[in-house]
Amino acid sequence: MILDPRVLDRNPEALEDIEKATLRMVARAIYDFRDEAREFFVHELDMVADIGEDITREAMERMGTSIIPVRLFGKIDYKRARYVFHPEYSIRQALFVDSKSEKLGGAGTITIQTGQTSMRVRQIRQGIPTDVEGGLPQILSIQNENYLVTTVFVKYSYRDLEEGSRKSLENIAITCLPNGMLQDKYNPSHERTFWRAGRNAPSRAETFRVRISLAALKLAAGWRVQTVELDPNTPFTWDE
C-alpha cells in the first residue's frame, strides 16, 4: 500500500517514524564517508561551502536509495524523489539534504533560508514576535502524485590549520528538521521555539535568514540531532 502523505497530519507518530528512518539513513551515509570528509577539508582548496556540498553529494550517492524518476527543485544540495518502505506501507518522499560549513565556534547552530523549510518560523526577534512562512511545501505534488517533504541538514564544523588555507574537520552534526505538519509540537508559539535570529541585516534589505539551535531542537526530540565522531575507531552510536 502506498500511503498518501496527506493523512499524516492526523498521524504525527507515523510522520516522525518516517523522518527518523530518513535521518538514520543520512547519518549512516555521512558516517561511512567520514574519513574521506576529513581528507577533503585538509587537501581541498575550494570554498568551505563547496567542500561540504561535495562531501554530502558523494556520501549520499555512495549510499544509494530507491529513486523515483522525477526532478526536484529548490535551494538544496542533494535532492531525490524516492520511496520510503515501512513494514505496513510505502510512501513517496521528496528528500532534501543540505550542507553547511562553518568554523567550530558556530557548531551549535545551523543557518538556513526560509526556502529550506516547510515550517513557519515563530520567534521573538529584537523584542518583536515574528511569524514567517517557510518556502517549502509540506507535501509536494508532482505529476499528480503527492510526496512528503523531508529536510535534513549536515553541519561541518572546522578549524583553520597553520599551513596556508588548509582546514581540519572537527565535528559533523546531522539534523532532521520537522515537517510543517509537526508545527504545533515543535514551534507552537513565539516563546516555544528552537529558532534563533539569523545573520541577515534588515537595514540592508538582506534576505531573511534564521538559525536552528541544535541544543533546543535536541531538547524537544533527542534523536533529531545526531553527531558523527571522526575517530576511525569510534563506531556510530544512535542518540535517542
Side-chain angles (χ1 to χ4, degrees):
M1 174 178 105
I2 296 181
L3 191 68
D4 188 333
R6 291 177 296 183
V7 307
L8 293 174
D9 63 347
R10 303 188 300 274
N11 193 347
E13 293 82 7
L15 174 52
E16 295 212 75
D17 282 348
I18 294 165
E19 292 185 331
K20 183 182 286 190
T22 301
L23 183 60
R24 282 187 185 274
M25 184 266 291
V26 177
R28 187 74 220 187
I30 299 299
Y31 175 80
D32 287 347
F33 203 76
R34 69 196 186 285
D35 291 340
E36 290 91 336
R38 186 165 42 202
E39 292 299 309
F40 270 51
F41 271 87
V42 171
H43 298 294
E44 288 287 346
L45 300 180
D46 291 340
M47 295 179 62
V48 290
D50 295 334
I51 294 173
E53 291 174 13
D54 290 344
I55 292 169
T56 297
R57 287 197 188 101
E58 291 200 30
M60 293 302 297
E61 287 170 3
R62 178 185 291 183
M63 170 63 70
T65 186
S66 57
I67 296 175
I68 303 174
V70 299
R71 188 175 180 83
L72 301 179
F73 298 91
K75 299 177 181 179
I76 306 286
D77 298 335
Y78 177 89
K79 303 176 282 289
R80 287 291 184 275
R82 69 180 201 126
Y83 289 106
V84 176
F85 295 101
H86 184 275
E88 303 300 327
Y89 58 82
S90 61
I91 189 168
R92 295 181 180 91
Q93 180 187 58
L95 173 61
F96 297 93
V97 184
D98 201 53
S99 313
K100 308 291 180 181
S101 300
E102 193 173 354
K103 288 187 177 180
L104 191 59
T109 62
I110 297 175
T111 300
I112 71 168
Q113 302 177 38
T114 55
Q116 295 178 316
T117 179
S118 63
M119 297 190 73
R120 303 191 70 86
V121 177
R122 293 171 178 163
Q123 61 178 170
I124 304 293
R125 193 157 181 165
Q126 296 180 328
I128 301 172
T130 302
D131 189 333
V132 177
E133 184 177 9
L136 280 177
Q138 299 172 5
I139 297 169
L140 193 60
S141 181
I142 307 173
Q143 299 176 4
N144 298 317
E145 302 288 359
N146 293 320
Y147 292 76
L148 175 68
V149 172
T150 304
T151 51
V152 176
F153 295 93
V154 185
K155 175 69 176 284
Y156 302 95
S157 299
Y158 67 91
R159 62 179 176 85
D160 292 322
L161 297 176
E162 294 180 359
E163 302 86 359
S165 59
R166 299 188 185 279
K167 297 169 176 59
S168 172
L169 180 61
E170 299 292 314
N171 178 273
I172 307 175
I174 305 101
T175 302
C176 184
L177 194 60
N179 182 281
M181 284 185 276
L182 297 169
Q183 184 83 42
D184 289 343
K185 175 178 179 179
Y186 288 94
N187 183 210
S189 68
H190 304 95
E191 291 77 19
R192 287 182 56 193
T193 184
F194 57 83
W195 301 112
R196 300 295 181 264
R199 298 183 179 93
N200 62 292
S203 61
R204 295 199 296 268
E206 291 180 347
T207 302
F208 182 88
R209 291 177 182 270
V210 67
R211 287 182 294 166
I212 304 166
S213 167
L214 299 185
L217 182 56
K218 193 170 184 64
L219 187 62
W223 64 265
R224 283 195 176 271
V225 181
Q226 300 294 324
T227 301
V228 167
E229 300 292 341
L230 296 175
D231 182 348
N233 298 315
T234 302
F236 176 67
T237 302
W238 179 263
D239 190 357
E240 192 63 40

